[in-house]
Amino acid sequence: MQASRPVGRWCAETRNRRNGWGTDVPLSAPQCRKRHLNAAFPKSAASNQALAVMLFGGFRPNQFEEKKMAARRSRTYRLRLSGEGTERFLACHHRLARLTGSLVPYGATLFVAMLLTAGSDTAEIAAEVSLAAAQRSRSDKEHFVGASDRLSAIETQIGHLVEQTDMVSARPSQAAMFIAGIAIMAASEDKAIMAAFDRMTRLVADG
């Protein structure tokens, strides 16, 4: 077996690098680990090399999924809700979590609400938007949730349809659209909510 290197030489050769978990390891650590594994288990050299790379080379078992998730763009959306509006949103969020059996993020609840709104009658949407605009003066609390950037396009499309009706005088604000969406979700059936959730999952997965 090859003699161990002197400690002084080892220290002189080491340079820190990240191994993927935020830990600094010497550059020579993977080679050293590989030599020892191959010497101990010569019949498993290929497996040992893969193990050494996983332990010291920065490979994470889920790194490919992480890159895929990172490619999906997201943004932050602002909600202006009154105390009553906040309670309604939280009730919708709890309901969605219960239906899906998962700890869904707040952004998923907002996304589902807007998908339900997109599938509603335009007159119904306009009525909720008008009510939301009247309540906006009492909506002094700001909340921020993260969701896919696709949500913005959906909200814009719904707002354009509402603007063309004679029930509003101008393009509804995004805040009013979100409040209207939450109200529509609160009045929706479980089956419709699950259908909207499934559609959201597909939209986000498609990037």
Side-chain angles (χ1 to χ4, degrees), residues 96-120:
L96 180 62
R98 177 176 54 81
L99 289 173
T100 60
S102 60
L103 299 177
V104 295
Y106 287 130
T109 300
L110 183 61
F111 204 128
V112 167
M114 296 313 295
L115 286 178
L116 289 167
T117 303
S120 301

Side-chain angles (χ1 to χ4, degrees), residues 22 41 59 83 100 125 151:
F41 307 100
F59 174 77
T100 60
I125 302 172
L151 176 58

Side-chain angles (χ1 to χ4, degrees), residues 126 129 136 155 158-160 162-163 168 170-177:
V129 167
R136 188 178 179 185
E155 182 275 325
I158 301 172
H160 179 68
V162 173
E163 185 180 10
V168 295
R171 165 73 165 83
S173 67
Q174 188 177 77
M177 292 296 301

Side-chain angles (χ1 to χ4, degrees), residues 23-42:
T23 304
D24 291 332
V25 297
L27 282 173
S28 52
Q31 291 83 358
C32 180
R33 179 63 172 171
K34 178 182 175 182
R35 287 198 305 272
H36 284 286
L37 285 172
N38 290 342
F41 307 100

Side-chain angles (χ1 to χ4, degrees), residues 30 33-35 37-38 41 44-57:
R33 179 63 172 171
K34 178 182 175 182
R35 287 198 305 272
L37 285 172
N38 290 342
F41 307 100
S44 307
S47 300
N48 293 338
Q49 182 176 3
L51 179 60
V53 171
M54 182 180 295
L55 291 175
F56 296 100

Side-chain angles (χ1 to χ4, degrees), residues 53-204:
V53 171
M54 182 180 295
L55 291 175
F56 296 100
F59 174 77
R60 293 186 298 273
N62 62 340
Q63 68 175 358
F64 300 110
E65 183 62 24
E66 289 177 357
K67 290 181 179 179
K68 184 178 179 182
M69 292 292 290
R72 300 169 187 166
R73 292 173 295 179
S74 63
R75 53 166 289 187
T76 301
Y77 297 89
R78 181 174 62 180
L79 292 171
R80 290 185 60 88
L81 302 173
S82 63
E84 180 182 355
T86 301
E87 290 295 328
R88 178 179 291 178
F89 178 82
L90 291 175
C92 288
H93 182 72
H94 178 268
R95 185 181 177 191
L96 180 62
R98 177 176 54 81
L99 289 173
T100 60
S102 60
L103 299 177
V104 295
Y106 287 130
T109 300
L110 183 61
F111 204 128
V112 167
M114 296 313 295
L115 286 178
L116 289 167
T117 303
S120 301
D121 182 74
T122 306
E124 178 186 359
I125 302 172
E128 289 292 349
V129 167
S130 298
L131 182 60
Q135 294 176 337
R136 188 178 179 185
S137 60
R138 299 195 300 272
S139 305
D140 54 351
K141 293 184 179 179
E142 290 188 345
H143 308 271
F144 298 89
V145 299
S148 167
D149 62 351
R150 283 177 172 252
L151 176 58
S152 180
I154 294 172
E155 182 275 325
T156 299
Q157 183 179 11
I158 301 172
H160 179 68
L161 292 175
V162 173
E163 185 180 10
Q164 294 178 334
T165 69
D166 57 359
M167 300 180 66
V168 295
S169 58
R171 165 73 165 83
S173 67
Q174 188 177 77
M177 292 296 301
F178 286 159
I179 294 174
I182 294 169
I184 290 174
M185 180 175 180
S188 297
E189 297 182 353
D190 290 353
K191 184 178 180 179
I193 291 176
M194 284 303 301
F197 179 81
D198 291 339
R199 184 186 174 198
M200 178 201 71
T201 303
R202 293 192 301 270
L203 287 173
V204 174

